[in-house]
Amino acid sequence: MKLAYWMYAGPAHIGTLRIASSFKNVHAIMHAPIGDDYFNVMRSMLSRERDFTPVTTSVVDRNVLARGSQEKVVDNIIRKDGEEHPDLIVLTPTCTSSILQEDLHNFVERAQLEAKGDVMLADVNHYRYNELQAADRTLDQIVQYYIEKARKRGELADGKTAKPSVNIIGTTTLGFHNNHDCTELKRLMADLGIEVNTLIPEGASVNDLKKMSQAWFNLVPYRELGLTTARYLEEQFGTPYIDITPMGVVETARCIRKIQQVINAQGAEVDYEDFINEQTLHVSQAAWFSRSIDCQNLTGKKAVVFGDNTHAAAITKILAREMGIHVVWAGTYCKYDADWFRQQVSEYCDEVLISEDHGEIGDAIARVEPSAIFGTQMERHVGKRLDIPCGVIAAPIHVQNFPIGYKPFMGYEGTNQITDLIYNSFTLGMEDHLLEIFGGHDTKEVITRGISADSDLNWTKDGQAELNKIPGFVRGKVKRNTEKFARDRGFKEINAEVLYAAKEAVGA
């Protein structure tokens, strides 16, 4: 573990709480000291949830440490069971309270004696797993618990549904555009004549999990969340799963063709080629736009991509394969799944970067100076410092990533939204320069900074004046090159003469 002021993926207990609070009528008890209880605020503020976040903190303080936690934790579980009447209570420690090495399994068994609902311990190693891994593991644990419970009671349904059906696995609260993706996926399935058997965990009841065995196939749209559950269901019931993310024209078509293959292998006869052609030609505008003069103006422009595996891989493919944009490097913070990411994007970019260090990512962006960045909120801040536009394409999420309007990233409507995001993220032509000519900016002060915060260089008044004469769309690059020139030669300040010398050194 290390202390950091920016984390791309949060600690394990955040993943567990995301899963628990996504289900209907499930309550989470977080065994933690004050300071670890920020999830309620984060969920209510960022995702604009109207309902109460079903998470209670069983606070670890010095009084609890003096006499042991069991009595307080058990009392809190039983109290919430009586007040809320949940179907399930999930107990989770945090990385802080895990230090105590308490027998939380015993706490759960003790509480289950009096609780009317089910009580479960989220069995996650808080020192080895991050938010995404813990969410995937917790979802799998809950599904297994209720499948086994139904099996013991003889409540598991035999066979499959009469019509082709699907379990959509992995949409959660605090997921990046998950709510809109979910709606788009349900529409897509309806258009294909496929019933949604269950959709978990967002909005589902744990009592519905016993129906999962009836689906013809499972769809896992997000690489980070749901694969473990899908593999368990395949092992138990032989249910095939599809993990092709339907994002972009090519991958959406590939996902639909895979669905067709899986359904026909089970005795149905469906042909989705006409549907794919209709959607590609008339519903999605992305294929048409990629041939338009507007998109051709982007051909060869340099971009970098960074995010979680699902979104970074998908956007890299869309940029390179569908829009002709040069991806200088593509990266992910999902280090635990780095091999898959490399395999997916290697042929579409010059370099692959795997890192959880936002400083390293910032330096890599500054090094290549792309025309646009596609990343997380952190890369958006980096772009502001470097005067490079950025389109946000992945979590960690921000309130801006819960738009009130309909903005899915998946399906054919998602292709339109992504195309708009990509096109509008580039500074096109001379627009920035023209804005300055006609007074569109509020200030002439140069606000662009290098990515390094330890610069001790000072710009003199005449040096600043000369820099301001340079068109805005290249000024950031000139400023950084000049500062590098000055630093290499030991100058402490930059005047007009130093700026001229730097320009001559690079042949400008």
Side-chain angles (χ1 to χ4, degrees):
M1 293 182 64
K2 66 178 180 179
L3 295 175
Y5 72 88
W6 179 267
M7 298 173 67
Y8 287 105
H13 73 274
I14 296 297
T16 292
L17 295 179
R18 280 179 58 187
I19 296 300
S21 60
S22 293
F23 280 107
K24 286 181 181 177
N25 206 32
V26 172
H27 200 92
I29 301 288
M30 181 169 52
H31 178 47
I34 293 176
D36 284 351
D37 57 351
Y38 54 88
F39 178 80
N40 287 12
V41 175
M42 185 168 68
R43 181 176 181 266
S44 60
M45 289 180 65
L46 294 182
S47 62
R48 299 187 176 113
E49 296 282 350
R50 298 185 182 187
D51 60 326
F52 174 75
T53 301
V55 176
T56 298
T57 304
S58 182
V59 178
V60 177
D61 56 24
R62 62 180 183 176
N63 294 319
V64 171
L65 291 174
R67 63 174 183 267
S69 303
Q70 179 172 358
E71 181 181 345
K72 184 172 184 178
V73 172
V74 171
D75 286 348
N76 281 327
I77 293 174
I78 294 171
R79 177 172 60 84
K80 278 299 170 183
D81 179 74
E83 291 174 358
E84 307 290 337
H85 308 292
D87 297 319
L88 170 66
I89 291 179
V90 178
L91 173 64
T92 180
T94 66
C95 54
T96 312
S97 61
S98 294
I99 296 172
L100 301 175
Q101 293 292 298
E102 297 169 298
D103 186 2
L104 297 183
H105 285 283
N106 182 265
F107 293 11
V108 166
E109 290 174 3
R110 170 68 183 80
Q112 187 67 83
L113 295 175
E114 297 184 47
K116 294 182 180 179
D118 296 317
V119 185
M120 174 191 297
L121 172 66
D123 188 13
V124 174
N125 186 319
H126 288 257
Y127 299 111
R128 298 185 64 182
Y129 295 147
N130 67 18
E131 171 189 347
L132 301 176
Q133 294 167 290
D136 185 55
R137 183 178 175 88
T138 301
L139 179 61
D140 178 55
Q141 186 183 351
I142 292 174
V143 169
Q144 288 198 36
Y145 179 89
Y146 281 96
I147 292 289
E148 292 305 315
K149 181 179 178 180
R151 180 175 279 146
K152 289 176 182 177
R153 293 182 174 184
E155 296 176 353
L156 277 180
D158 293 329
K160 305 296 181 183
T161 56
K163 295 181 178 179
S165 61
V166 60
N167 297 318
I168 301 176
I169 305 173
T171 58
T172 73
T173 186
L174 292 182
F176 186 81
H177 287 246
N178 274 198
N179 50 345
H180 297 162
D181 285 347
C182 177
T183 301
E184 188 65 20
L185 289 175
K186 288 192 289 186
R187 287 180 178 177
L188 180 60
M189 293 303 111
D191 289 343
L192 297 176
I194 299 169
E195 297 176 348
V196 176
N197 186 52
T198 63
L199 195 156
I200 66 168
E202 182 71 4
S205 166
V206 291
N207 296 317
D208 294 334
L209 298 180
K210 61 188 177 185
K211 301 190 307 180
M212 295 191 77
S213 61
Q214 294 181 286
W216 287 40
F217 68 98
N218 294 311
L219 177 61
V220 185
Y222 305 107
R223 175 76 184 177
E224 296 75 26
L225 213 172
L227 272 180
T228 304
T229 300
R231 287 165 180 160
Y232 164 77
L233 293 170
E234 183 179 51
E235 176 188 313
Q236 293 293 312
F237 308 108
T239 311
Y241 68 86
I242 296 169
D243 60 352
I244 301 170
T245 300
M247 201 177 293
V249 173
V250 176
E251 291 299 290
T252 299
R254 194 164 74 90
C255 179
I256 293 172
R257 290 187 177 105
K258 184 64 176 179
I259 291 172
Q260 173 182 303
Q261 177 186 337
V262 166
I263 289 177
N264 287 344
Q266 298 181 60
E269 292 185 10
V270 296
D271 185 349
Y272 294 138
E273 287 303 320
D274 288 343
F275 173 80
I276 292 171
N277 291 334
E278 175 71 17
Q279 295 290 312
T280 303
L281 292 174
H282 302 296
V283 175
S284 169
Q285 301 298 307
W288 165 84
F289 184 81
S290 66
R291 298 191 299 273
S292 71
I293 187 64
D294 291 309
C295 190
Q296 289 175 27
N297 287 332
L298 301 179
T299 302
K301 280 187 175 288
K302 294 194 300 182
V304 298
V305 183
F306 188 79
D308 61 30
N309 272 357
T310 297
H311 292 87
I315 297 299
T316 299
K317 293 175 183 177
I318 292 169
L319 288 168
R321 186 166 58 187
E322 299 182 21
M323 300 185 74
I325 293 167
H326 177 197
V327 181
V328 184
W329 60 257
T332 181
Y333 53 80
C334 298
K335 294 176 68 174
Y336 62 91
D337 201 16
D339 290 344
W340 178 88
F341 185 79
R342 285 194 182 93
Q343 184 269 326
Q344 291 292 309
V345 305
S346 291
E347 64 179 294
Y348 301 109
C349 62
D350 298 343
E351 180 184 352
V352 178
L353 183 58
I354 313 294
S355 178
E356 295 174 342
D357 183 349
H358 63 86
E360 181 183 354
I361 301 306
D363 289 339
I365 293 171
R367 169 172 54 85
V368 300
E369 295 188 344
S371 300
I373 305 165
F374 298 94
T376 73
Q377 287 291 334
M378 175 51 77
E379 284 66 57
R380 185 171 71 88
H381 292 307
V382 169
K384 283 186 175 181
R385 294 175 65 184
L386 297 176
D387 201 22
I388 301 172
C390 177
V392 177
I393 54 99
I397 47 89
H398 183 278
V399 69
Q400 293 175 339
N401 305 135
F402 290 91
I404 296 173
Y406 186 55
K407 292 188 176 181
F409 268 43
M410 292 191 180
Y412 286 105
E413 178 56 32
T415 65
N416 296 332
Q417 298 294 335
I418 292 173
T419 300
D420 275 344
L421 174 68
I422 292 172
Y423 182 74
N424 293 331
S425 293
F426 284 92
T427 299
L428 303 173
M430 297 283 283
E431 67 180 59
D432 198 48
H433 186 39
L434 290 173
L435 279 171
E436 291 206 355
I437 291 174
F438 295 106
H441 290 309
D442 294 332
T443 178
K444 290 284 258 182
E445 293 298 317
V446 178
I447 59 172
T448 306
R449 296 191 174 191
I451 198 63
S452 176
D454 59 358
S455 176
D456 57 353
L457 295 175
N458 178 51
W459 283 77
T460 64
K461 189 173 182 179
D462 64 325
Q464 189 85 32
E466 288 300 313
L467 184 63
N468 284 339
K469 295 177 183 178
I470 297 171
F473 61 92
V474 294
R475 185 186 298 146
K477 183 174 182 178
V478 171
K479 184 175 186 288
R480 288 189 291 277
N481 287 342
T482 303
E483 289 182 345
K484 183 178 185 302
F485 174 86
R487 196 173 287 110
D488 289 344
R489 287 156 180 78
F491 296 132
K492 295 299 182 184
E493 66 177 18
I494 300 174
N495 55 28
E497 291 184 6
V498 174
L499 177 59
Y500 297 148
K503 290 173 69 176
E504 289 177 6
V506 296

